[in-house]
Amino acid sequence: FHECLSSPVDQLKSYILTQRGADAFLPEITPSAAPQPFLPLLAPSPLSPFTNSTSPKLSGLCMLNFTASQSLMTMTSTDCWAAFAPLLANVICCPQLHATLVILVGQLSKETGVLALNRTLAKPCLSDIEQVLEGQGASDDLKQVCLIHPSNLTEASCPVKDVDEFENTVNSSELLASCEKIDPVKECCDQVCQGAISDAATRIALKSSDPLSMDGTHVLPEYSTRVNDCKTVVLRWLASKLNPYRAKEVLRGLTNCNVNKVCPLVFPNMRHVANSCGNGISNQTACCDAMDSYVSHLQKQTLITNLQALDCATALGLKLQTYNITKNVYSLCHISLKDFSLQG
């Protein structure tokens, strides 16, 4: 956003959504063409000048180097600013916070040779991270907003955490070549870096002394969890090989691919919409009032990207059909993709 503010008007146009007619945004149940993805803003945000820093009360037990990562912590506290953290959680705050946790542990591994904190230190370190972020204006409820736990700083169920063992197990040069710089759009389609991460995570997950069995084509949940935990270890290794800014760009780019795969909105009971819009829509005004009220409730849940909005519009359209609402209420009531998100 800072880049936008300091760029010429022509460059600014590439960062923001231009105004278009409502018809251009009307969603279809089965889109005929894939839309260009909207990548969430990468920090820093314009809130930085308005946040007051206070001295955090640290435990004195944590070895994480907050001073060396000061710009990263400031960026994260801005993205998770107290007033907006719940609304920005899905696309901005939590991806940035999780990237920060990965980078802090990854950078520490250059000194310790270990890609995880032990369980004794994880709790005070997480508390210190919260204290530093809160002292710079971040929400004091990040653990609940982003569902983070001390285990996010440990190896969890992954059997490999030593750097030497990691590098002897995976093709580290190929992994670094695949992920040291990614195109945030092409990566979501080609999955070059994601594939390399999955391969490395699978290799170190199989190092466990108690390998979990497979049942035909079905992977046991425990094995899937182990691979996911190992992916975090892989990301920490990558973060140790890159400077914090480059690591943040890579991690956020990878997160954006996952963010845009699903609709994060929760659809509440829509019986009142069904009552107003069913039976061939006998009263258009009542139907559209019900739809506007319902979509307005969805909009207040969280900020979502354009691709997520498309998924949400499709999901809601299918839900409407299950209530025997067969007419195109999106067109009838002038509901477009931007109505699904606060960014509208």
Side-chain angles (χ1 to χ4, degrees):
F1 200 95
H2 282 303
E3 293 173 1
C4 292
L5 295 178
S6 61
S7 300
V9 174
D10 289 341
Q11 294 183 21
L12 178 59
K13 289 179 181 177
S14 67
Y15 282 82
I16 62 175
L17 294 174
T18 55
Q19 294 296 322
R20 297 173 60 182
D23 289 344
F25 284 98
L26 289 177
E28 298 176 358
I29 298 304
T30 306
S32 58
Q36 290 298 312
F38 169 74
L39 299 179
L41 289 175
L42 301 184
S45 80
L47 300 174
S48 300
F50 304 103
T51 57
N52 296 320
S53 297
T54 59
S55 298
K57 297 179 180 179
L58 303 182
S59 65
L61 302 173
C62 186
M63 299 181 293
L64 296 175
N65 193 337
F66 298 117
T67 302
S69 304
Q70 184 175 355
S71 61
L72 177 67
M73 299 298 288
T74 300
M75 191 179 296
T76 305
S77 62
T78 303
D79 281 353
C80 295
W81 197 48
F84 298 129
L87 292 176
L88 302 179
N90 171 57
V91 294
I92 298 179
C93 173
C94 297
Q96 179 66 22
L97 177 59
H98 284 288
T100 298
L101 299 182
V102 167
I103 293 169
L104 286 172
V105 178
Q107 291 292 314
L108 180 64
S109 72
K110 293 191 290 187
E111 302 174 14
T112 63
V114 181
L115 295 164
L117 299 184
N118 65 47
R119 287 164 174 77
T120 302
L121 292 178
K123 187 173 182 179
C125 279
L126 182 58
S127 176
D128 285 357
I129 292 170
E130 291 178 286
Q131 288 292 317
V132 172
L133 294 177
E134 288 173 26
Q136 297 181 356
S139 169
D140 60 0
D141 198 30
L142 289 182
K143 282 197 293 189
Q144 284 69 39
V145 171
C146 297
L147 300 178
I148 58 172
H149 310 279
S151 60
N152 290 100
L153 298 173
T154 71
E155 73 276 16
S157 64
C158 187
V160 175
K161 61 179 180 179
D162 292 330
V163 173
D164 289 342
E165 184 180 7
F166 178 92
E167 293 180 348
N168 288 331
T169 305
V170 307
N171 188 335
S172 55
S173 59
E174 180 179 320
L175 174 61
L176 184 60
S178 299
C179 296
E180 61 183 343
K181 186 176 182 180
I182 65 170
D183 184 305
V185 175
K186 291 181 179 179
E187 174 60 30
C188 297
C189 300
D190 301 337
Q191 299 186 8
V192 174
C193 177
Q194 294 171 83
I197 290 171
S198 295
D199 180 66
T202 301
R203 286 177 179 273
I204 60 176
L206 292 174
K207 294 274 289 185
S208 174
S209 58
D210 58 332
L212 298 170
S213 61
M214 309 287 180
D215 179 16
T217 58
H218 300 288
V219 179
L220 292 180
E222 294 87 350
Y223 179 77
S224 179
T225 299
R226 180 179 296 171
V227 172
N228 285 332
D229 290 339
C230 286
K231 284 182 179 180
T232 301
V233 173
V234 175
L235 292 175
R236 290 172 187 162
W237 181 86
L238 281 171
S240 73
K241 299 301 179 183
L242 306 172
N243 67 61
Y245 180 81
R246 173 61 63 191
K248 187 268 298 183
E249 293 292 309
V250 170
L251 292 170
R252 289 296 301 274
L254 295 174
T255 300
N256 289 343
C257 295
N258 295 324
V259 162
N260 283 317
K261 287 180 181 178
V262 295
C263 170
L265 302 180
V266 177
F267 296 106
N269 188 290
M270 58 190 319
R271 187 173 293 111
H272 70 291
V273 175
N275 292 337
S276 300
C277 299
N279 301 319
I281 309 181
S282 57
N283 186 329
Q284 179 176 331
T285 301
C287 173
C288 290
D289 286 345
M291 281 296 300
D292 289 342
S293 174
Y294 191 86
V295 173
S296 176
H297 173 80
L298 297 178
Q299 186 186 76
K300 294 174 183 177
Q301 290 183 23
T302 181
L303 174 74
I304 62 176
T305 70
N306 283 358
L307 283 180
Q308 286 178 318
L310 182 59
D311 288 335
C312 292
T314 302
L316 179 57
L318 294 172
K319 195 173 180 67
L320 289 169
Q321 289 180 343
T322 65
Y323 281 87
N324 294 321
I325 300 173
T326 56
K327 287 196 174 182
N328 188 348
V329 291
Y330 291 159
S331 178
L332 186 69
C333 301
H334 304 291
I335 294 173
S336 61
L337 288 184
K338 59 185 178 182
D339 292 314
F340 283 83
S341 174
L342 289 168
Q343 65 181 289

